[in-house]
């Protein structure tokens, strides 16, 4: 087991509805040492890939992507969910269905920060049904930029997102892939 998998076993809580709670170290309180290991691991796995920018989505992707960005020495851009008077000019927009909040979010990035030809590494905390990644890859496509790879901390391998993303040919690296999770017993099984 790698460090993230050990942390999930020791501190993660399996909830009803296929939800894994990791808010003691990733989604609410943040274990920065754990995040730093995740950032280093993404850098190691994507060491052969040119990355100009990291793209994630607010809110929980931001901390993870920011620590990773230190290892890649590139800026982080996060897709916003709420309209803001602080974002000037034209935007690329997409829609993302939220697995945890059961709603549709209109997400956007400013055209100032995503440019044609840029090599973009997408990073997020979870991969479940794949909606967040569909929206983020759509923003990259609209900009004429290129998805250099996708780094996920926790993939729920029993949901369909990972398969859909791999079938599309993206290079997807998930640091912990959960193949089975039982809310009654709290058991978690990782892919070997
Ligand atoms: P997807 O779009 O792939 O269905 O879900 C990805 C997003 O939903 C992630 O950005 C994450 O915030 C959230 N998410 C999905 N499953 C879980 C889960 O089991 N636990 C937590 N904490 N977040 C999840």
């Amino acid at each position: 087991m790698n460090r993230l998998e050990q942390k999930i076993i020791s501190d993660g809580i399996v909830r009803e509805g296929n939800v894994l709670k990791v808010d003691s170290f990733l989604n609410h309180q943040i274990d920065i040492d754990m995040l730093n290991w995740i950032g280093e691991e993404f850098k190691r796995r994507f060491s052969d890939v040119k990355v100009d920018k990291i793209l994630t989505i607010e809110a929980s992707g931001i901390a993870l992507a920011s620590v990773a960005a230190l290892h890649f020495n590139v800026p982080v851009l996060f897709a916003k969910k709420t309209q803001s008077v602080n974002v000037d000019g034209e935007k690329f927009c997409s829609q993302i269905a939220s697995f945890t909040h059961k709603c549709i979010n209109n997400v956007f990035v400013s055209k100032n920060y995503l440019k044609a030809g840029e090599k973009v590494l997408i990073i997020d905390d979870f991969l479940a049904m794949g909606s967040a990644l569909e929206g983020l890859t759509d923003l990259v496509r609209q900009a004429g930029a290129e998805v250099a790879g996708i780094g996920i901390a926790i993939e729920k391998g029993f949901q369909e997102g990972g398969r859909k993303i791999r079938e599309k040919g993206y290079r997807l690296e998930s640091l912990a892939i959960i193949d089975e999770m039982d809310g009654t017993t709290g058991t978690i099984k990782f892919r070997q």
Side-chain angles (χ1 to χ4, degrees), residues 18 21 52 56 66 91 97 100 117 127 133 166 174 177:
N18 285 334
K21 249 174 91 77
D52 298 316
T56 189
S66 301
K91 306 171 182 86
T100 35
L127 169 57
L133 288 183
R166 289 185 181 93
S174 301
I177 304 180

Side-chain angles (χ1 to χ4, degrees), residues 42-56:
F42 283 143
K43 178 64 187 163
R44 190 181 68 76
R45 293 187 186 209
F46 290 106
S47 58
D48 58 325
V49 172
K50 183 175 184 318
V51 174
D52 298 316
K53 185 165 285 181
I54 290 178
L55 175 67
T56 189

Side-chain angles (χ1 to χ4, degrees), residues 13 15 17-23 26-27 56-61 81 96-101 124-134 136 152 154 156 158-162 165 178 181:
I13 299 167
R15 281 279 158 88
N18 285 334
V19 172
L20 175 68
K21 249 174 91 77
V22 286
D23 60 0
L26 196 61
N27 283 157
T56 189
I57 180 163
E58 68 178 359
S60 29
K81 291 177 184 162
I96 294 181
S98 168
F99 175 77
T100 35
H101 297 107
D124 204 3
D125 56 347
F126 271 90
L127 169 57
M129 304 302 281
S131 305
L133 288 183
E134 272 172 30
L136 292 173
I152 295 291
I154 306 170
K156 292 190 290 181
F158 54 88
Q159 292 180 289
E160 65 188 26
I165 292 294
I178 298 176
M181 202 166 88

